[in-house]
Short mmCIF file of all heavy atoms in Angstrom, two decimals:
data_model
loop_
_atom_site.label_atom_id
_atom_site.label_comp_id
_atom_site.label_asym_id
_atom_site.label_seq_id
_atom_site.Cartn_x
_atom_site.Cartn_y
_atom_site.Cartn_z
N MET A 718 13.52 25.36 0.68
CA MET A 718 12.65 25.13 1.79
C MET A 718 13.19 23.94 2.59
O MET A 718 13.58 22.94 2.01
CB MET A 718 11.24 24.84 1.25
CG MET A 718 10.43 23.93 2.08
SD MET A 718 8.88 23.30 1.39
CE MET A 718 8.41 24.43 0.17
N ASP A 719 13.25 24.08 3.89
CA ASP A 719 13.69 22.99 4.76
C ASP A 719 12.47 22.28 5.32
O ASP A 719 11.53 22.92 5.80
CB ASP A 719 14.54 23.51 5.91
CG ASP A 719 15.92 23.95 5.44
OD1 ASP A 719 16.35 23.49 4.37
OD2 ASP A 719 16.56 24.75 6.15
N VAL A 720 12.50 20.95 5.26
CA VAL A 720 11.41 20.11 5.77
C VAL A 720 12.03 19.06 6.66
O VAL A 720 13.02 18.42 6.29
CB VAL A 720 10.63 19.44 4.61
CG1 VAL A 720 9.59 18.48 5.15
CG2 VAL A 720 9.98 20.49 3.73
N THR A 721 11.47 18.87 7.84
CA THR A 721 11.91 17.81 8.74
C THR A 721 11.07 16.58 8.44
O THR A 721 9.85 16.61 8.52
CB THR A 721 11.73 18.23 10.21
OG1 THR A 721 12.48 19.42 10.43
CG2 THR A 721 12.20 17.14 11.15
N ALA A 722 11.75 15.50 8.07
CA ALA A 722 11.07 14.25 7.70
C ALA A 722 11.45 13.16 8.68
O ALA A 722 12.63 12.85 8.84
CB ALA A 722 11.43 13.84 6.28
N GLU A 723 10.44 12.59 9.34
CA GLU A 723 10.65 11.45 10.20
C GLU A 723 10.28 10.20 9.43
O GLU A 723 9.11 10.02 9.05
CB GLU A 723 9.79 11.52 11.45
CG GLU A 723 9.90 10.27 12.31
CD GLU A 723 8.81 10.15 13.36
OE1 GLU A 723 7.99 11.07 13.50
OE2 GLU A 723 8.78 9.10 14.01
N VAL A 724 11.26 9.35 9.13
CA VAL A 724 10.96 8.06 8.52
C VAL A 724 10.67 7.13 9.70
O VAL A 724 11.55 6.84 10.50
CB VAL A 724 12.15 7.54 7.68
CG1 VAL A 724 11.81 6.20 7.07
CG2 VAL A 724 12.51 8.54 6.59
N VAL A 725 9.42 6.73 9.82
CA VAL A 725 8.96 5.99 10.99
C VAL A 725 9.82 4.73 11.17
O VAL A 725 9.97 3.93 10.25
CB VAL A 725 7.46 5.64 10.85
CG1 VAL A 725 7.00 4.79 12.02
CG2 VAL A 725 6.64 6.92 10.75
N GLY A 726 10.38 4.60 12.35
CA GLY A 726 11.21 3.45 12.68
C GLY A 726 12.65 3.56 12.24
O GLY A 726 13.45 2.67 12.51
N GLU A 727 13.01 4.64 11.56
CA GLU A 727 14.37 4.77 11.05
C GLU A 727 15.09 6.03 11.52
O GLU A 727 16.30 6.06 11.54
CB GLU A 727 14.38 4.71 9.52
CG GLU A 727 13.95 3.37 8.98
CD GLU A 727 14.03 3.30 7.48
OE1 GLU A 727 14.78 4.09 6.87
OE2 GLU A 727 13.32 2.46 6.91
N GLY A 728 14.37 7.09 11.79
CA GLY A 728 15.01 8.32 12.24
C GLY A 728 14.45 9.55 11.55
O GLY A 728 13.54 9.47 10.73
N THR A 729 15.03 10.68 11.90
CA THR A 729 14.57 11.98 11.41
C THR A 729 15.72 12.69 10.72
O THR A 729 16.86 12.60 11.17
CB THR A 729 14.06 12.83 12.58
OG1 THR A 729 13.00 12.11 13.23
CG2 THR A 729 13.52 14.17 12.11
N GLU A 730 15.39 13.37 9.63
CA GLU A 730 16.41 14.19 8.97
C GLU A 730 15.77 15.45 8.42
O GLU A 730 14.57 15.50 8.16
CB GLU A 730 17.12 13.41 7.86
CG GLU A 730 16.25 12.89 6.75
CD GLU A 730 17.06 12.05 5.76
OE1 GLU A 730 17.80 12.65 4.95
OE2 GLU A 730 16.93 10.83 5.81
N THR A 731 16.59 16.48 8.25
CA THR A 731 16.14 17.73 7.67
C THR A 731 16.51 17.73 6.20
O THR A 731 17.66 17.47 5.84
CB THR A 731 16.78 18.93 8.39
OG1 THR A 731 16.41 18.88 9.77
CG2 THR A 731 16.30 20.24 7.78
N LEU A 732 15.53 17.99 5.36
CA LEU A 732 15.72 17.97 3.91
C LEU A 732 15.70 19.39 3.36
O LEU A 732 14.84 20.19 3.74
CB LEU A 732 14.60 17.17 3.24
CG LEU A 732 14.31 15.77 3.80
CD1 LEU A 732 13.07 15.19 3.15
CD2 LEU A 732 15.51 14.87 3.58
N ALA A 733 16.61 19.70 2.47
CA ALA A 733 16.60 20.98 1.76
C ALA A 733 15.96 20.72 0.40
O ALA A 733 16.54 20.05 -0.45
CB ALA A 733 18.01 21.51 1.60
N LEU A 734 14.73 21.20 0.22
CA LEU A 734 13.97 20.94 -1.00
C LEU A 734 13.75 22.23 -1.78
O LEU A 734 13.77 23.33 -1.21
CB LEU A 734 12.61 20.34 -0.66
CG LEU A 734 12.61 19.04 0.13
CD1 LEU A 734 11.19 18.68 0.54
CD2 LEU A 734 13.22 17.92 -0.69
N ALA A 735 13.51 22.08 -3.07
CA ALA A 735 13.17 23.24 -3.91
C ALA A 735 11.82 23.79 -3.46
O ALA A 735 11.00 23.07 -2.89
CB ALA A 735 13.09 22.81 -5.37
N ASP A 736 11.59 25.05 -3.71
CA ASP A 736 10.33 25.68 -3.30
C ASP A 736 9.11 25.06 -3.96
O ASP A 736 8.01 25.13 -3.41
CB ASP A 736 10.36 27.18 -3.58
CG ASP A 736 11.32 27.92 -2.65
OD1 ASP A 736 11.58 27.40 -1.54
OD2 ASP A 736 11.79 29.00 -3.03
N ASP A 737 9.28 24.44 -5.13
CA ASP A 737 8.15 23.82 -5.82
C ASP A 737 8.10 22.30 -5.64
O ASP A 737 7.47 21.59 -6.41
CB ASP A 737 8.17 24.17 -7.31
CG ASP A 737 9.43 23.66 -8.01
OD1 ASP A 737 10.39 23.27 -7.31
OD2 ASP A 737 9.44 23.67 -9.25
N ALA A 738 8.74 21.80 -4.58
CA ALA A 738 8.82 20.36 -4.33
C ALA A 738 7.44 19.77 -4.03
O ALA A 738 6.57 20.45 -3.48
CB ALA A 738 9.77 20.08 -3.18
N THR A 739 7.28 18.50 -4.39
CA THR A 739 6.06 17.76 -4.07
C THR A 739 6.40 16.72 -3.00
O THR A 739 7.57 16.48 -2.69
CB THR A 739 5.49 17.05 -5.30
OG1 THR A 739 6.44 16.05 -5.72
CG2 THR A 739 5.20 18.02 -6.44
N TYR A 740 5.36 16.06 -2.50
CA TYR A 740 5.60 15.03 -1.49
C TYR A 740 6.31 13.82 -2.10
O TYR A 740 7.01 13.09 -1.39
CB TYR A 740 4.29 14.65 -0.80
CG TYR A 740 3.82 15.77 0.12
CD1 TYR A 740 2.75 16.57 -0.23
CD2 TYR A 740 4.49 16.04 1.30
CE1 TYR A 740 2.33 17.61 0.61
CE2 TYR A 740 4.09 17.09 2.13
CZ TYR A 740 3.01 17.86 1.78
OH TYR A 740 2.62 18.90 2.60
N ALA A 741 6.21 13.62 -3.41
CA ALA A 741 7.01 12.57 -4.07
C ALA A 741 8.49 12.90 -3.96
O ALA A 741 9.32 12.00 -3.78
CB ALA A 741 6.58 12.42 -5.53
N ASP A 742 8.84 14.18 -4.04
CA ASP A 742 10.23 14.60 -3.88
C ASP A 742 10.73 14.30 -2.46
O ASP A 742 11.89 13.94 -2.27
CB ASP A 742 10.39 16.09 -4.19
CG ASP A 742 10.08 16.41 -5.64
OD1 ASP A 742 10.45 15.62 -6.51
OD2 ASP A 742 9.46 17.47 -5.88
N VAL A 743 9.85 14.44 -1.47
CA VAL A 743 10.21 14.09 -0.10
C VAL A 743 10.56 12.60 -0.02
O VAL A 743 11.56 12.21 0.57
CB VAL A 743 9.07 14.44 0.88
CG1 VAL A 743 9.36 13.87 2.27
CG2 VAL A 743 8.85 15.94 0.95
N CYS A 744 9.72 11.77 -0.64
CA CYS A 744 9.97 10.32 -0.65
C CYS A 744 11.34 10.02 -1.22
O CYS A 744 12.12 9.26 -0.63
CB CYS A 744 8.91 9.60 -1.49
SG CYS A 744 7.23 9.77 -0.89
N ARG A 745 11.63 10.59 -2.37
CA ARG A 745 12.91 10.34 -3.03
C ARG A 745 14.08 10.86 -2.19
O ARG A 745 15.15 10.25 -2.15
CB ARG A 745 12.91 10.97 -4.41
CG ARG A 745 11.98 10.26 -5.37
CD ARG A 745 12.06 10.85 -6.78
NE ARG A 745 10.92 10.43 -7.55
CZ ARG A 745 9.81 11.16 -7.74
NH1 ARG A 745 9.72 12.37 -7.23
NH2 ARG A 745 8.81 10.67 -8.44
N ALA A 746 13.89 11.99 -1.53
CA ALA A 746 14.97 12.59 -0.74
C ALA A 746 15.37 11.72 0.45
O ALA A 746 16.51 11.78 0.90
CB ALA A 746 14.56 13.98 -0.26
N VAL A 747 14.44 10.91 0.95
CA VAL A 747 14.77 10.02 2.06
C VAL A 747 15.13 8.62 1.57
O VAL A 747 15.32 7.70 2.36
CB VAL A 747 13.66 9.96 3.14
CG1 VAL A 747 13.49 11.32 3.80
CG2 VAL A 747 12.36 9.45 2.58
N GLY A 748 15.20 8.44 0.25
CA GLY A 748 15.69 7.19 -0.31
C GLY A 748 14.65 6.16 -0.70
O GLY A 748 14.98 5.00 -0.88
N TYR A 749 13.41 6.58 -0.84
CA TYR A 749 12.34 5.65 -1.22
C TYR A 749 11.59 6.14 -2.44
O TYR A 749 11.53 7.34 -2.71
CB TYR A 749 11.34 5.48 -0.06
CG TYR A 749 11.93 4.75 1.11
CD1 TYR A 749 12.34 5.45 2.24
CD2 TYR A 749 12.10 3.38 1.09
CE1 TYR A 749 12.90 4.80 3.32
CE2 TYR A 749 12.66 2.71 2.17
CZ TYR A 749 13.05 3.43 3.27
OH TYR A 749 13.61 2.77 4.33
N SER A 750 11.00 5.20 -3.14
CA SER A 750 10.10 5.52 -4.24
C SER A 750 8.74 5.90 -3.64
O SER A 750 8.35 5.35 -2.60
CB SER A 750 9.94 4.29 -5.14
OG SER A 750 8.78 4.38 -5.92
N PRO A 751 7.99 6.78 -4.28
CA PRO A 751 6.65 7.10 -3.79
C PRO A 751 5.73 5.89 -3.75
O PRO A 751 4.71 5.91 -3.08
CB PRO A 751 6.13 8.14 -4.79
CG PRO A 751 7.36 8.74 -5.38
CD PRO A 751 8.38 7.64 -5.40
N HIS A 752 6.10 4.80 -4.44
CA HIS A 752 5.29 3.58 -4.42
C HIS A 752 5.58 2.72 -3.19
O HIS A 752 4.83 1.81 -2.89
CB HIS A 752 5.53 2.77 -5.69
CG HIS A 752 5.23 3.53 -6.93
ND1 HIS A 752 3.95 3.86 -7.31
CD2 HIS A 752 6.05 4.08 -7.85
CE1 HIS A 752 3.99 4.56 -8.43
NE2 HIS A 752 5.25 4.72 -8.77
N GLU A 753 6.67 3.02 -2.48
CA GLU A 753 7.07 2.24 -1.31
C GLU A 753 6.60 2.84 0.01
O GLU A 753 6.60 2.16 1.03
CB GLU A 753 8.59 2.13 -1.24
CG GLU A 753 9.23 1.38 -2.37
CD GLU A 753 10.74 1.42 -2.25
OE1 GLU A 753 11.34 2.45 -2.61
OE2 GLU A 753 11.30 0.41 -1.76
N VAL A 754 6.25 4.12 -0.01
CA VAL A 754 5.93 4.83 1.23
C VAL A 754 4.72 5.73 1.02
O VAL A 754 4.30 5.99 -0.11
CB VAL A 754 7.13 5.71 1.69
CG1 VAL A 754 8.34 4.87 2.03
CG2 VAL A 754 7.48 6.77 0.66
N THR A 755 4.19 6.20 2.13
CA THR A 755 3.20 7.26 2.08
C THR A 755 3.67 8.37 3.01
O THR A 755 4.36 8.11 4.00
CB THR A 755 1.79 6.76 2.47
OG1 THR A 755 0.82 7.77 2.19
CG2 THR A 755 1.71 6.38 3.93
N VAL A 756 3.34 9.60 2.66
CA VAL A 756 3.74 10.75 3.47
C VAL A 756 2.53 11.20 4.27
O VAL A 756 1.43 11.33 3.72
CB VAL A 756 4.28 11.90 2.59
CG1 VAL A 756 4.64 13.10 3.45
CG2 VAL A 756 5.49 11.44 1.79
N LEU A 757 2.75 11.42 5.56
CA LEU A 757 1.69 11.85 6.46
C LEU A 757 1.99 13.26 6.96
O LEU A 757 3.13 13.57 7.32
CB LEU A 757 1.59 10.92 7.66
CG LEU A 757 1.42 9.44 7.38
CD1 LEU A 757 1.52 8.64 8.67
CD2 LEU A 757 0.09 9.17 6.70
N VAL A 758 0.95 14.10 6.98
CA VAL A 758 1.04 15.43 7.56
C VAL A 758 -0.03 15.48 8.64
O VAL A 758 -1.22 15.25 8.36
CB VAL A 758 0.81 16.54 6.51
CG1 VAL A 758 0.75 17.90 7.19
CG2 VAL A 758 1.91 16.51 5.46
N ASP A 759 0.37 15.72 9.86
CA ASP A 759 -0.54 15.72 11.01
C ASP A 759 -1.34 14.41 11.08
O ASP A 759 -2.53 14.41 11.38
CB ASP A 759 -1.48 16.92 10.96
CG ASP A 759 -0.75 18.24 11.12
OD1 ASP A 759 0.27 18.27 11.84
OD2 ASP A 759 -1.18 19.24 10.52
N GLY A 760 -0.69 13.30 10.73
CA GLY A 760 -1.31 11.98 10.83
C GLY A 760 -2.19 11.58 9.67
O GLY A 760 -2.72 10.47 9.66
N SER A 761 -2.34 12.43 8.67
CA SER A 761 -3.18 12.13 7.51
C SER A 761 -2.33 12.02 6.25
O SER A 761 -1.44 12.84 6.04
CB SER A 761 -4.23 13.22 7.30
OG SER A 761 -5.10 13.28 8.40
N PRO A 762 -2.62 11.04 5.39
CA PRO A 762 -1.85 10.91 4.16
C PRO A 762 -2.12 12.07 3.21
O PRO A 762 -3.22 12.62 3.19
CB PRO A 762 -2.34 9.58 3.56
CG PRO A 762 -3.64 9.30 4.23
CD PRO A 762 -3.64 10.01 5.54
N VAL A 763 -1.10 12.42 2.45
CA VAL A 763 -1.21 13.49 1.47
C VAL A 763 -0.88 12.93 0.08
O VAL A 763 -0.08 12.00 -0.04
CB VAL A 763 -0.30 14.68 1.80
CG1 VAL A 763 -0.77 15.39 3.05
CG2 VAL A 763 1.14 14.25 1.96
N PRO A 764 -1.47 13.48 -0.98
CA PRO A 764 -1.16 13.00 -2.34
C PRO A 764 0.29 13.27 -2.70
O PRO A 764 0.84 14.33 -2.36
CB PRO A 764 -2.09 13.83 -3.24
CG PRO A 764 -3.10 14.45 -2.35
CD PRO A 764 -2.49 14.53 -0.99
N GLU A 765 0.91 12.32 -3.39
CA GLU A 765 2.32 12.47 -3.73
C GLU A 765 2.59 13.62 -4.68
O GLU A 765 3.68 14.17 -4.71
CB GLU A 765 2.89 11.18 -4.29
CG GLU A 765 2.31 10.79 -5.63
CD GLU A 765 2.81 9.45 -6.14
OE1 GLU A 765 2.70 8.46 -5.42
OE2 GLU A 765 3.32 9.44 -7.27
N ASP A 766 1.58 14.04 -5.45
CA ASP A 766 1.78 15.13 -6.41
C ASP A 766 1.41 16.50 -5.84
O ASP A 766 1.52 17.51 -6.54
CB ASP A 766 1.02 14.87 -7.70
CG ASP A 766 -0.48 14.76 -7.50
OD1 ASP A 766 -0.94 14.65 -6.34
OD2 ASP A 766 -1.21 14.76 -8.52
N ALA A 767 1.03 16.55 -4.56
CA ALA A 767 0.69 17.83 -3.94
C ALA A 767 1.97 18.58 -3.57
O ALA A 767 2.98 17.96 -3.20
CB ALA A 767 -0.15 17.61 -2.69
N PRO A 768 1.95 19.91 -3.67
CA PRO A 768 3.13 20.68 -3.26
C PRO A 768 3.34 20.59 -1.75
O PRO A 768 2.37 20.55 -0.98
CB PRO A 768 2.80 22.11 -3.69
CG PRO A 768 1.34 22.15 -3.89
CD PRO A 768 0.89 20.75 -4.18
N VAL A 769 4.59 20.54 -1.34
CA VAL A 769 4.90 20.45 0.09
C VAL A 769 4.49 21.76 0.75
O VAL A 769 4.92 22.84 0.35
CB VAL A 769 6.40 20.18 0.32
CG1 VAL A 769 6.74 20.20 1.80
CG2 VAL A 769 6.80 18.87 -0.32
N ALA A 770 3.63 21.64 1.78
CA ALA A 770 3.15 22.82 2.48
C ALA A 770 3.39 22.74 3.98
O ALA A 770 3.07 23.68 4.69
CB ALA A 770 1.65 23.01 2.20
N ALA A 771 3.95 21.63 4.45
CA ALA A 771 4.16 21.44 5.89
C ALA A 771 5.65 21.42 6.21
O ALA A 771 6.43 20.85 5.45
CB ALA A 771 3.51 20.14 6.33
N PRO A 772 6.04 22.01 7.32
CA PRO A 772 7.46 22.00 7.69
C PRO A 772 7.92 20.68 8.30
O PRO A 772 9.11 20.42 8.37
CB PRO A 772 7.56 23.13 8.71
CG PRO A 772 6.20 23.19 9.32
CD PRO A 772 5.24 22.81 8.23
N GLU A 773 6.96 19.83 8.72
CA GLU A 773 7.29 18.54 9.31
C GLU A 773 6.37 17.48 8.73
O GLU A 773 5.16 17.69 8.63
CB GLU A 773 7.12 18.57 10.83
CG GLU A 773 8.07 19.52 11.51
CD GLU A 773 7.90 19.54 13.02
OE1 GLU A 773 7.11 18.74 13.55
OE2 GLU A 773 8.57 20.37 13.65
N VAL A 774 6.95 16.34 8.34
CA VAL A 774 6.18 15.23 7.78
C VAL A 774 6.67 13.92 8.37
O VAL A 774 7.78 13.84 8.90
CB VAL A 774 6.28 15.17 6.24
CG1 VAL A 774 5.77 16.45 5.59
CG2 VAL A 774 7.70 14.86 5.79
N GLN A 775 5.83 12.91 8.26
CA GLN A 775 6.23 11.55 8.59
C GLN A 775 6.19 10.74 7.31
O GLN A 775 5.28 10.92 6.48
CB GLN A 775 5.28 10.90 9.59
CG GLN A 775 5.42 11.39 11.00
CD GLN A 775 4.53 10.61 11.92
OE1 GLN A 775 3.34 10.48 11.68
NE2 GLN A 775 5.10 10.08 12.99
N VAL A 776 7.17 9.87 7.13
CA VAL A 776 7.23 8.99 5.97
C VAL A 776 7.04 7.58 6.51
O VAL A 776 7.82 7.12 7.35
CB VAL A 776 8.56 9.13 5.21
CG1 VAL A 776 8.61 8.18 4.03
CG2 VAL A 776 8.76 10.57 4.75
N LEU A 777 5.99 6.91 6.05
CA LEU A 777 5.64 5.60 6.55
C LEU A 777 5.84 4.57 5.44
O LEU A 777 5.24 4.68 4.37
CB LEU A 777 4.18 5.59 7.01
CG LEU A 777 3.63 4.30 7.60
CD1 LEU A 777 4.37 3.95 8.88
CD2 LEU A 777 2.14 4.45 7.85
N ARG A 778 6.70 3.59 5.71
CA ARG A 778 6.94 2.53 4.73
C ARG A 778 5.72 1.64 4.65
O ARG A 778 5.14 1.26 5.66
CB ARG A 778 8.16 1.70 5.13
CG ARG A 778 9.44 2.51 5.01
CD ARG A 778 10.65 1.68 5.34
NE ARG A 778 10.75 0.59 4.37
CZ ARG A 778 11.50 -0.47 4.56
NH1 ARG A 778 12.19 -0.62 5.66
NH2 ARG A 778 11.55 -1.41 3.64
N LEU A 779 5.33 1.31 3.43
CA LEU A 779 4.23 0.40 3.20
C LEU A 779 4.76 -1.01 3.18
O LEU A 779 5.77 -1.28 2.52
CB LEU A 779 3.53 0.73 1.88
CG LEU A 779 3.03 2.19 1.78
CD1 LEU A 779 2.49 2.45 0.39
CD2 LEU A 779 1.98 2.47 2.82
N ILE A 780 4.11 -1.91 3.87
CA ILE A 780 4.57 -3.29 3.95
C ILE A 780 3.72 -4.16 3.05
O ILE A 780 2.50 -4.07 3.05
CB ILE A 780 4.54 -3.80 5.40
CG1 ILE A 780 5.46 -2.95 6.25
CG2 ILE A 780 4.91 -5.27 5.47
CD1 ILE A 780 5.43 -3.26 7.72
N LYS A 781 4.41 -4.98 2.30
CA LYS A 781 3.74 -5.87 1.37
C LYS A 781 4.34 -7.24 1.56
O LYS A 781 5.54 -7.38 1.72
CB LYS A 781 3.99 -5.34 -0.04
CG LYS A 781 3.25 -6.01 -1.12
CD LYS A 781 3.56 -5.24 -2.40
CE LYS A 781 3.15 -6.00 -3.60
NZ LYS A 781 3.49 -5.31 -4.82
N GLY A 782 3.53 -8.22 1.60
CA GLY A 782 4.10 -9.55 1.79
C GLY A 782 3.08 -10.63 1.53
O GLY A 782 1.94 -10.38 1.18
N GLY A 783 3.53 -11.84 1.74
CA GLY A 783 2.61 -12.92 1.48
C GLY A 783 2.93 -14.11 2.32
O GLY A 783 3.76 -14.16 3.15
#
């Protein structure tokens, strides 16, 4: 399955994922841990363990600091 992933502020890439891929797999495919980012579908966050059902997603880096 091909999924277009926009990493907000970094660019867009097309990912070739297994048919049973989860949104955590999307995170890893763009080089991040699921703990560092959240995946958005149509502007809403999706659970990392949910199967990928959208052809286009946004990956938003979570910022932590002090």
Side-chain angles (χ1 to χ4, degrees):
M718 149 190 337
D719 287 338
V720 174
T721 302
E723 174 194 356
V724 180
V725 177
E727 295 183 22
T729 301
E730 60 184 284
T731 301
L732 309 173
L734 301 173
D736 289 336
D737 61 347
T739 65
Y740 289 106
D742 296 322
V743 171
C744 298
R745 291 184 196 98
V747 296
Y749 291 102
S750 160
H752 302 289
E753 296 176 280
V754 297
T755 190
V756 178
L757 306 172
V758 174
D759 294 327
S761 297
V763 292
E765 67 184 54
D766 61 348
V769 176
E773 296 180 5
V774 301
Q775 285 185 308
V776 179
L777 181 64
R778 292 183 63 197
L779 304 174
I780 299 175
K781 187 175 167 182

